[in-house]
């Protein structure tokens, strides 16, 4: 992998920085860099996995939300809310999935202005094909952690996510 600003710094480099800048907390900086580095690698690998199937993480996520509600369908804004994306982003995701034949839009019978999005049989088929492999890969990623370590790791990640808003970059 190419070197970048987010490359994990060595202990020696962190010690030098701590001598020069009083704000440097070597263990905090190392931990954040390790986290960002791992998250970036994981994100890149997940995108490659989905790309082999003509999807992206966003498209797969939208399809999984619709899969949970197979039959009734969801309003496009409901899917956007669950994913935490803007309506315009959701429109692009659904447009792409519709072009691929994985979803279809229907008029919302309870609101003429609304649209219901449903998985097509082709959408269900692709999910049934790739979801088991995806879930196996996620399980493999965490296989060296015990259940209690996974629980603690999840709590630590939630705690870190809670601090992200406090950063002023």
């Amino acid at each position: 992998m190419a070197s970048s600003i987010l490359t994990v710094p060595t202990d020696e480099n962190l010690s030098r920085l701590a001598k020069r800048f009083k704000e440097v907390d070597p263990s905090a900086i190392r931990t954040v860099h390790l986290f960002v580095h791992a998250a970036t690698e994981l994100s890149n690998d997940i995108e490659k996995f989905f790309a082999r199937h003509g999807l992206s993480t966003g498209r797969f996520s939208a399809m999984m939300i619709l899969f949970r509600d197979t039959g009734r369908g969801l309003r496009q804004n409901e899917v956007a809310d669950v994913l935490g994306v803007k309506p315009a982003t959701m429109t692009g995701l659904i447009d792409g999935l519709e072009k691929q034949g994985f979803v279809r839009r229907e008029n919302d019978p309870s609101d003429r202005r609304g649209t219901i999005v449903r998985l097509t049989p082709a959408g269900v088929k692709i999910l049934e094909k790739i979801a088991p492999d995806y879930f196996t890969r996620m399980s493999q990623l965490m296989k060296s952690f015990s259940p209690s370590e996974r629980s603690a790791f999840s709590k630590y990640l939630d705690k870190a996510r809670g601090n992200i808003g406090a950063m002023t970059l």
Side-chain angles (χ1 to χ4, degrees):
M1 177 170 268
S3 181
S4 75
I5 188 107
L6 295 177
T7 300
V8 180
T10 65
D11 290 337
E12 181 182 327
N13 287 339
L14 287 170
S15 292
R16 277 198 306 255
L17 284 172
K19 288 176 185 169
R20 182 156 184 183
F21 301 105
K22 65 179 168 80
E23 299 84 0
V24 171
D25 176 347
S27 69
I29 292 172
R30 180 168 174 73
T31 301
V32 169
H33 278 264
L34 281 169
F35 172 72
V36 170
H37 193 75
T40 301
E41 284 185 36
L42 177 60
S43 180
N44 290 340
D45 285 351
I46 289 171
E47 284 300 330
K48 287 176 192 172
F49 170 79
F50 289 131
R52 287 196 308 270
H53 301 285
L55 294 172
S56 65
T57 302
R59 288 182 183 185
F60 176 79
S61 298
M63 291 176 69
M64 288 302 295
I65 291 164
L66 293 168
F67 186 75
R68 290 186 288 201
D69 287 290
T70 301
R72 89 172 176 93
L74 293 171
R75 290 181 58 122
Q76 199 167 296
N77 65 324
E78 291 177 292
V79 181
D81 289 346
V82 173
L83 289 179
V85 299
K86 295 179 181 175
T89 301
M90 193 73 250
T91 297
L93 287 172
I94 298 300
D95 285 349
L97 289 168
E98 192 173 38
K99 285 178 187 163
Q100 289 177 287
F102 295 148
V103 301
R104 72 176 179 274
R105 290 179 169 111
E106 301 172 358
N107 293 328
D108 184 345
S110 65
D111 181 355
R112 292 184 331 191
R113 298 167 296 159
T115 302
I116 299 291
V117 181
R118 298 181 197 279
L119 284 176
T120 63
V124 172
K125 185 176 179 179
I126 190 74
L127 283 179
E128 288 175 341
K129 177 183 174 188
I130 67 172
D133 189 19
Y134 171 76
F135 294 131
T136 296
R137 289 167 188 268
M138 294 301 104
S139 296
Q140 289 288 35
L141 177 67
M142 299 307 294
K143 74 179 181 181
S144 64
F145 293 90
S146 71
S148 63
E149 288 172 324
R150 291 177 192 183
S151 177
F153 188 50
S154 292
K155 287 177 187 172
Y156 297 146
L157 289 174
D158 280 340
K159 196 173 187 178
R161 285 182 58 218
N163 293 336
I164 289 173
M167 292 180 62
T168 52
L169 295 178

